[in-house]
Structure formats: structure tokens, C-alpha cells
Amino acid sequence: QVQLVESGGGLVQAGGSLRLSCVVSGRTFSNYAMGWFRQAPGKEREFVAALSGTGFIKYYEDFADSVKGRFTISRDNAKNTLYLQMSSLNPEDTAVYYCAAKPRLTRVLSSSGEYDFWGQGTQVTVSS
């Protein structure tokens, strides 16, 4: 079974930045569709960002409207790692952040139900 481990969360002041990492097991990480989701207390899990597996030309990415222009998603296939660079953080970004994977898919996925594997999450807290 594919395993995912998130790290990089913590406490940051409003306006600050954090980079989350998700290390993924497996030999074919490059063709995994990957995503970031978050869940705040009392709220449903929310889509944040997604990145497709390798296509012939390029990766495809997608972002929630609430994070566009502030967050970037990237991957390092040599390290089997997915990243979420978060900038201009605000208290509304406070949540547990999860990474997710679906092997052998080159398109982006924005629905949590479409992913096969999930990490345990990492807490991000943004103080005002």
C-alpha cells in the first residue's frame, strides 16, 4: 500500500510562510496524481491544491480560489516528495493539512473521494 507522510506544519504569524512536504512511498511517484487538502475544526475537508502525474508535455495543477496566488504546489520525483509552499498566510488557513495520492493518473483531482491514499496530516496554525 502507498504510504504518505506529511511534515512542515507549525505555528506562524499572519503574513508569514510555511512549506509543507509529503514523502510518498513507491517506485512510480512521477505518475501519481497528488493533492493537498485541509480540515479545520468543525468543518468539512477542503480542497487546496492538486498536481497531476507526468504527462507527455507537462504537469497540470489546480488551486482552490481561496489560495490562488498565495500557495504553490510542486513535486520532486527524485525524492518522491510533494510540496506545498504557502505564503501570505492568514488565520483562515489554520487547519490540519493532508496530502493524498492516486497512482497512475495524469490529470488533476480536486475531490477527496477520488484519491486512494492519504497521509496522517500536519497542523498549520496561523496567529493573528
Side-chain angles (χ1 to χ4, degrees):
Q1 185 177 26
V2 175
Q3 295 180 317
L4 298 81
V5 180
E6 303 98 333
S7 63
L11 176 65
V12 64
Q13 292 180 305
S17 299
L18 284 174
R19 188 177 77 163
L20 306 183
S21 299
C22 175
V23 179
V24 184
S25 67
R27 298 172 295 156
T28 55
F29 172 71
S30 62
N31 66 19
Y32 291 12
M34 300 294 301
W36 286 101
F37 294 79
R38 65 188 183 186
Q39 187 168 23
K43 295 185 179 296
E44 297 293 322
R45 185 157 46 187
E46 176 187 29
F47 169 73
V48 176
L51 190 66
S52 72
T54 301
F56 282 99
I57 299 176
K58 64 179 182 180
Y59 290 101
Y60 296 89
E61 61 185 24
D62 191 25
F63 297 93
D65 289 342
S66 60
V67 306
K68 286 181 179 177
R70 300 189 297 121
F71 292 9
T72 61
I73 187 170
S74 62
R75 66 200 298 157
D76 185 337
N77 291 331
K79 297 181 178 180
N80 277 23
T81 302
L82 178 75
Y83 301 99
L84 183 69
Q85 178 66 51
M86 306 184 295
S87 300
S88 300
L89 287 164
N90 58 66
E92 288 69 39
D93 296 315
T94 295
V96 177
Y97 283 71
Y98 300 89
C99 66
K102 186 175 183 65
R104 301 178 296 280
L105 192 66
T106 58
R107 64 184 177 91
V108 294
L109 300 174
S110 58
S111 176
S112 62
E114 296 177 295
Y115 286 90
D116 295 327
F117 304 101
W118 293 83
Q120 295 177 331
T122 185
Q123 176 71 49
V124 172
T125 302
V126 184
S127 64
S128 59

